[in-house]
């Protein structure tokens, strides 16, 4: 079965420190990969995506993600965390054969002041 | 554009009652998705439409769930009869026309359903 794994339920980081939210995928072919963020009582918002090309993708709010094909990973990163980054983050993959998006379980990021 | 609009934002109903959730996608978006979010199961795709036609409804949990898209600007998700285990946040999302499968989805703010 195809799947997206986010191994950490929660990530805690101090404000100003770098953050990493991990994601690995098991999807056949060359899937398109996405990161979304969800703030309380809101829908998911798009952060960034990897389609092809450069393995380092830059997105909204200073976030970036590193694609590693050999490790089938797509980790989300930010050099300096802000308290306002505290939210629920979802990694997702879309199989190139269709529109069905597979979401990870989500990782709650908590940035402490 | 106002984005994807869902109504109601919150719904509390008694077990056995019919519940209808509504979604208005962004104008010009050809694909519409219904998701359910729970703590236990995370975000699950229930069904999606292309040009108002259901393409994949394999995620619909049981016959009590049905979804329609009578036109390009409106979709409904109906649960009849509702059960307490249907309590969840239901999201609608849409994708722009002709942008392909590598395009991000635009989500509504969700409907929080509580069945008591």
């Amino acid at each position: 079965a195809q799947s997206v794994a986010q191994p950490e339920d929660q990530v805690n980081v101090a404000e100003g420190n770098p953050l990493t939210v991990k994601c690995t995928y098991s999807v056949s072919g060359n899937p398109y990969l996405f990161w979304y963020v969800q703030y309380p009582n809101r829908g998911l918002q798009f952060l960034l995506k990897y389609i092809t090309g450069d393995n380092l993708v830059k997105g909204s709010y200073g976030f970036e993600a590193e694609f590693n094909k050999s490790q089938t990973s797509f980790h989300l990163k930010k050099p300096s965390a802000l308290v306002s980054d505290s939210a629920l983050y979802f990694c997702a993959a879309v199989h190139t054969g269709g529109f069905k998006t597979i979401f990870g379980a989500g990782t709650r990021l908590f940035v402490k002041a | 554009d106002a984005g994807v609009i869902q109504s109601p934002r919150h719904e509390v109903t008694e077990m056995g009652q019919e519940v209808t959730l509504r979604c208005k996608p962004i104008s010009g978006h050809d694909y519409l998705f219904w998701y359910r979010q729970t703590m236990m199961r995370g975000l699950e795709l229930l069904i999606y439409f292309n040009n108002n036609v259901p393409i994949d409804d394999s995620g619909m949990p049981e016959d009590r769930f049905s979804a329609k898209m009578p036109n390009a600007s409106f979709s409904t998700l109906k649960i009849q009869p509702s059960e307490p285990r249907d309590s969840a946040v239901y999201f609608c999302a849409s994708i722009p026309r002709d942008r392909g499968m590598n395009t991000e989805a635009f989500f509504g703010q969700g409907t929080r359903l509580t069945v008591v």
Side-chain angles (χ1 to χ4, degrees):
Chain A
Q2 306 196 88
S3 63
V4 172
Q6 294 181 241
E8 302 152 316
D9 291 336
Q10 182 164 315
V11 170
N12 298 308
V13 65
E15 187 174 36
N17 284 0
L19 69 88
T20 299
V21 182
K22 296 179 181 177
C23 171
T24 59
Y25 63 92
S26 176
V27 179
S28 58
N30 298 306
Y32 304 122
L33 301 167
F34 299 79
W35 276 101
Y36 291 85
V37 59
Q38 184 180 28
Y39 296 101
N41 301 314
R42 302 295 297 274
L44 278 68
Q45 298 176 32
F46 168 75
L47 271 182
L48 51 78
K49 64 183 175 184
Y50 175 82
I51 305 302
T52 187
D54 194 346
N55 289 343
L56 186 64
V57 178
K58 294 189 183 296
S60 307
Y61 312 119
F63 283 93
E64 56 190 29
E66 187 169 10
F67 170 68
N68 187 316
K69 186 171 183 177
S70 63
Q71 297 185 5
T72 61
S73 66
F74 189 54
H75 300 332
L76 181 69
K77 300 182 179 185
K78 188 173 183 181
S80 179
L82 299 173
V83 172
S84 57
D85 293 330
S86 298
L88 186 58
Y89 290 81
F90 289 93
C91 181
V94 177
H95 185 272
T96 52
F99 276 84
K100 198 165 185 175
T101 303
I102 304 165
F103 281 90
T107 298
R108 189 165 299 281
L109 173 65
F110 181 70
V111 182
K112 184 177 180 180
Chain B
D1 198 315
V4 176
I5 299 173
Q6 292 186 246
S7 63
R9 291 293 310 278
H10 302 274
E11 176 78 41
V12 180
T13 190
E14 291 186 348
M15 182 174 62
Q17 296 298 306
E18 176 180 298
V19 176
T20 299
L21 311 181
R22 297 172 176 80
C23 174
K24 181 182 186 316
I26 294 173
S27 177
H29 285 201
D30 272 7
Y31 286 84
L32 184 139
F33 303 78
W34 281 101
Y35 289 91
R36 178 172 68 176
Q37 184 179 35
T38 61
M39 289 291 291
M40 291 297 295
R41 301 174 68 89
L43 202 61
E44 304 172 275
L45 176 64
L46 301 177
I47 184 172
Y48 78 91
F49 296 83
N50 179 25
N51 289 324
N52 314 335
V53 176
I55 303 301
D56 186 340
D57 65 354
S58 60
M60 296 286 263
E62 35 192 292
D63 292 344
R64 298 185 297 105
F65 286 70
S66 63
K68 295 181 180 179
M69 192 164 186
N71 57 62
S73 60
F74 183 66
S75 177
T76 60
L77 178 67
K78 184 180 293 185
I79 308 173
Q80 166 63 20
S82 57
E83 296 182 4
R85 60 195 170 115
D86 301 330
S87 298
V89 181
Y90 292 81
F91 287 103
C92 177
S94 66
I95 288 180
R97 174 183 300 152
D98 297 333
R99 290 277 295 276
M101 60 194 73
N102 61 6
T103 302
E104 61 274 17
F106 293 77
F107 281 77
Q109 292 191 308
T111 295
R112 182 174 297 277
L113 173 65
T114 303
V115 183
V116 298

